[in-house]
C-alpha cells in the first residue's frame, strides 16, 4: 500500500477509539495526528498508548477545532451510539477524504440522511463498522461459499441475537447488517414486534448503548426486493447470549456464528474453513478505509449499507406503532 502522508484523527478516544488507532500502527507514511474526546484523562491515556508510534499527537476536546487545525485525511468516529451524525457531517464538510464510523450508523433516519448527503456531496468515502464484514469466516462464507453458488439461490436468512445485550440499536445493528449482507438486496418493507414493555418506544431513547433497559429487543420480518426474506429474532434479553445466522438456499443451507460455520446439503455436513488474515475485525476495517483513501475503491461496509440498517431498525419501531403492521421503506427522515 503506497500511503502519501495520510493524517488520521480519532473522535471518541476510549476503548473503541483506541482500537481504531491500532489499525494504522505500522503503516508507512500514515500518521495518527490527533485525538478528540470530552474527557481529558481519556485523551491523555490515548496519547500515552501511541506515543511510541507517533510522538506528536495533538489532543482536542472540541472536534470542530480539531478539524479546523489538523488538515486530516481520515477521521474515525467512536463516540456513543447516538452521537455519530454531527461528527461525520462536520468531518465531511471539512474536506476529510475518508471516515470510519462506528455502528449503528445513526439512531434516526434524519441523522442517517444527513450523513449520506454530506458524504456524497463532498465525495467522502464512508465506512460503517459492522465488524463481521472484516472477519475472515464471515467474509469467506459470503464471498466464496454463498457467492460461489454452493447453496444455490439464497431464499431466506434467519438471524438470532440473544442475551442481556440483545438491544436493537446497540447490538441488533450487527445482526440486521448480517441479514442484509447475505440477502444482498434492498429492503422494501418490514414488520416487527418490540420487547414487552416497550409498546410506546417510537424513537431512540437509549443512553448511547450502555444500559440495556434503555432500548428494546425485537422480532422482525424483512422483505427484500430480490425475493430474499429476512427474519430478525432478537431476544428477549433473558435468553443465553448468542449471535448466529442461518442462510437458506435452493441447494443447501449454512449455519454461521463467530465460533464456526457449516454447510449442509442433504445429509452431508461440511465445515467451512476460514482463511487466515494478519489483521481482522475493527482494526482491519480502519486499515481498509485508509487504503481506499490512498488508492481508491469501495468499502466492504459502505454508508449505503449502514443506511439500510438504520431504515430497517426505524422501520421496526414504526411497525410497532402501527399494530405491528407492514411498513414500506425507505422512510423519510422529516
Ligand atoms: N464494532 C464493535 O464491535 C463495537 C464494540 C463496542 C462498541 N462499539 C461502538 O463504539 C462506539 C463507542 O462505544 P462506547 O460504549 O465506547 O461509547 P461511549 O459512550 O463510552 O463514548 C466513547 C467516548 O466518546 C466520547 N465522546 C462522546 N461524544 C463525543 C463528542 N461529541 N466529541 C468527542 N468525544 C465524544 C466520550 O467521552 C467517550 O470517551 C459506539 O457507537 C458503540 O456502538 C462497537
Amino acid at each position: 500500500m503506497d500511503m502519501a502522508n495520510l493524517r488520521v484523527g480519532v473522535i471518541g478516544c476510549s476503548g473503541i477509539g483506541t482500537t481504531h488507532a491500532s489499525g494504522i500502527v505500522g503503516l508507512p507514511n500514515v500518521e495518527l495526528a490527533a485525538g478528540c474526546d470530552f474527557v481529558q484523562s481519556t485523551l491523555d491515556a490515548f496519547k500515552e498508548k501511541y506515543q511510541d508510534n507517533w510522538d506528536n499527537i495533538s489532543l482536542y476536546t472540541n472536534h470542530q477545532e480539531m478539524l479546523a487545525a489538523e488538515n486530516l485525511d481520515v477521521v474515525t468516529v467512536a463516540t456513543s451510539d447516538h452521537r455519530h451524525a454531527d461528527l461525520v457531517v462536520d468531518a465531511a464538510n471539512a474536506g476529510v477524504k475518508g471516515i470510519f464510523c462506528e455502528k449503528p450508523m445513526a439512531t434516526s433516519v434524519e441523522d442517517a440522511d444527513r450523513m449520506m448527503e454530506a458524504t456524497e456531496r463532498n465525495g467522502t468515502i464512508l465506512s460503517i463498522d459492522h465488524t463481521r464484514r472484516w472477519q475472515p469466516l464471515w467474509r469467506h462464507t459470503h464471498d466464496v461459499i454463498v457467492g460461489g453458488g454452493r447453496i444455490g439461490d439464497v431464499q431466506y436468512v434467519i438471524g438470532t441475537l440473544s442475551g442481556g445485550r440483545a438491544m436493537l440499536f446497540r447490538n441488533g445493528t450487527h445482526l440486521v447488517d448480517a441479514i442484509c449482507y447475505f440477502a444482498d438486496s434492498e429492503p422494501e418493507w418490514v414488520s416487527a414486534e418490540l420487547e414487552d414493555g416497550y409498546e410506546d418506544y417510537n424513537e431512540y431513547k437509549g443512553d448511547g448503548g450502555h444500559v440495556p433497559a434503555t432500548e428494546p429487543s425485537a422480532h422482525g420480518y424483512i422483505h427484500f426486493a430480490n425475493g430474499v426474506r429476512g427474519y430478525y429474532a432478537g431476544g428477549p434479553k433473558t435468553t443465553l447470549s448468542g449471535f448466529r445466522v442461518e442462510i437458506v438456499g435452493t441447494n443447501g443451507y449454512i449455519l454461521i456464528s463467530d465460533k464456526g460455520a457449516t454447510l449442509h446439503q442433504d445429509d452431508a455436513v461440511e465445515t467451512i474453513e476460514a482463511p487466515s488474515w494478519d489483521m481482522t475485525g475493527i482494526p482491519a476495517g480502519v486499515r481498509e478505509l485508509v487504503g481506499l483513501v490512498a488508492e481508491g475503491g469501495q468499502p466492504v461496509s459502505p454508508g449505503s449499507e449502514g443506511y439500510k440498517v438504520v431504515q430497517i431498525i426505524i422501520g421496526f419501531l414504526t411497525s410497532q406503532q402501527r399494530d405491528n403492521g407492514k411498513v414500506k421503506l425507505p422512510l423519510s427522515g422529516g
Side-chain angles (χ1 to χ4, degrees), residues 14 16 37-38 78-81 84 102-103 129 131 170 210:
S14 56
I16 296 296
D37 201 287
F38 290 149
T79 53
S80 329
D81 294 0
H84 300 160
E102 268 309 327
K103 56 73 189 171
D129 184 14
T131 315
R170 178 67 174 200
H210 296 282

Side-chain angles (χ1 to χ4, degrees), residues 14-34:
S14 56
I16 296 296
T18 302
T19 305
H20 285 185
S22 73
I24 61 168
V25 169
L27 287 181
N29 302 323
V30 179
E31 178 184 0
L32 180 59

Side-chain angles (χ1 to χ4, degrees), residues 6-7 64 67-68 70-75 87-99 118-119 121-125 293:
L6 296 183
R7 292 172 59 77
Q64 289 285 33
L67 292 170
E70 293 293 335
N71 192 27
L72 298 171
D73 300 288
V74 172
V75 161
L87 308 176
V88 168
V89 169
D90 291 344
N93 287 338
V96 161
K97 300 183 188 94
I99 302 171
T119 51
R121 177 168 42 78
N122 289 291
T124 319
I125 303 171
V293 169

Side-chain angles (χ1 to χ4, degrees), residues 78-261:
T79 53
S80 329
D81 294 0
H82 55 331
R83 287 181 174 153
H84 300 160
D86 289 345
L87 308 176
V88 168
V89 169
D90 291 344
N93 287 338
V96 161
K97 300 183 188 94
I99 302 171
F100 186 79
C101 176
E102 268 309 327
K103 56 73 189 171
M105 175 179 180
T107 51
S108 73
V109 170
E110 185 182 6
D111 276 352
D113 280 341
R114 292 193 295 126
M115 296 162 83
M116 292 303 290
E117 190 279 327
T119 51
E120 283 173 1
R121 177 168 42 78
N122 289 291
T124 319
I125 303 171
L126 175 61
S127 179
I128 305 298
D129 184 14
H130 285 124
T131 315
R132 286 177 180 80
R133 292 188 185 224
W134 297 283
Q135 292 294 358
L137 181 64
W138 292 80
R139 181 84 68 87
H140 176 78
T141 299
H142 176 271
D143 289 359
V144 177
I145 307 297
V146 176
R150 294 289 306 278
I151 59 168
D153 295 332
V154 176
Q155 294 179 312
Y156 57 98
V157 182
I158 306 171
T160 303
L161 172 67
S162 44
R165 290 188 62 78
M167 304 126 88
L168 184 52
F169 289 87
R170 178 67 174 200
N171 290 333
T173 185
H174 281 303
L175 187 63
V176 175
D177 180 66
I179 293 169
C180 289
Y181 191 40
F182 289 107
D184 196 20
S185 182
E186 289 299 315
E188 287 192 324
W189 61 267
V190 299
S191 63
E193 180 183 14
L194 302 185
E195 183 178 356
D196 289 349
Y198 293 81
E199 288 75 13
D200 298 330
Y201 200 97
N202 60 355
E203 62 181 356
Y204 183 71
K205 297 171 187 169
D207 68 344
H210 296 282
V211 176
T214 62
E215 51 181 295
S217 61
H219 286 259
Y221 178 78
I222 309 162
H223 175 113
F224 290 94
N226 64 354
V228 175
R229 304 294 181 250
Y231 298 81
Y232 175 96
K237 296 175 192 138
T238 46
T239 48
L240 280 178
S241 182
F243 185 108
R244 58 191 179 274
V245 174
E246 178 177 352
I247 308 139
V248 181
T250 46
N251 193 32
Y253 66 94
I254 292 163
L255 297 177
I256 179 168
S257 74
D258 296 329
K259 297 192 170 53

